[in-house]
Amino acid sequence: QVQLAESGGGLVQPGGSLSLSCVVHGSIDRVVDMSWYRQAAGKQRDLVASISRGGITNYADSVKGRFTISRDNARNTMYLQMNNLKSEDTAVYYCRAQVVTTVPSMLDSWGRGTQVTVSS
C-alpha cells in the first residue's frame, strides 16, 4: 500500500511564489519516476513537470523558466518551486509517482491534490 501526500498550496498574488511538496508513504522499495500535474476548473489534467530517479527533468512549455522540480530520494519526497506565478497557473496540483513496493510490485499512484490560486 502506497500513499502520496501533497502540501504547500494556497493563495498567492500574481508574480508571487509557492513551493509544493509531495511525500510518498508506505511499503516502498524505491520511487522511480515522479511528476506534477495540474487541473484547472473545467479542463483536463495536464503534465506540469516530471523528474526521473536520476534527476532528469521535463517541463511543460508554459512553466519553463518559472517552475523548478526536484526530489530527495532518501526522503521519498518531490518538490515544485513555482516563481512568477500567473493567474493561469490556478489549478489543483497533483503529484504522481511510480513506486516499486516491497511485495514487490510496481504501482502508479496519485495524490489527492492541493489547490493553488493566483489572484490579486
Side-chain angles (χ1 to χ4, degrees):
Q1 193 79 348
V2 171
Q3 300 87 35
L4 278 63
E6 303 101 335
S7 61
L11 173 64
V12 64
Q13 292 186 344
S17 298
L18 277 177
S19 182
L20 305 182
S21 299
C22 172
V23 182
V24 184
H25 298 281
S27 302
I28 302 165
D29 178 88
R30 66 188 181 279
V31 181
V32 187
D33 293 337
M34 303 185 77
S35 51
W36 288 99
Y37 284 73
R38 68 186 181 187
Q39 187 169 18
K43 296 189 177 181
Q44 66 180 22
R45 189 175 298 186
D46 292 324
L47 177 68
V48 175
S50 64
I51 184 167
S52 70
R53 182 169 180 83
I56 297 173
T57 59
N58 179 56
Y59 295 92
D61 287 343
S62 59
V63 306
K64 283 181 181 176
R66 300 188 298 122
F67 291 10
T68 302
I69 189 172
S70 60
R71 63 187 287 174
D72 182 338
N73 290 332
R75 300 186 180 206
N76 295 322
T77 302
M78 173 178 63
Y79 307 96
L80 186 68
Q81 177 63 41
M82 304 184 292
N83 298 327
N84 190 22
L85 283 159
K86 305 176 180 180
S87 58
E88 51 263 43
D89 295 318
T90 295
V92 178
Y93 284 70
Y94 298 89
C95 67
R96 181 184 186 185
Q98 280 75 48
V99 181
V100 178
T101 68
T102 55
V103 173
S105 66
M106 173 74 83
L107 296 180
D108 185 358
S109 300
W110 290 82
R112 293 187 175 185
T114 185
Q115 176 70 47
V116 171
T117 302
V118 184
S119 175
S120 55

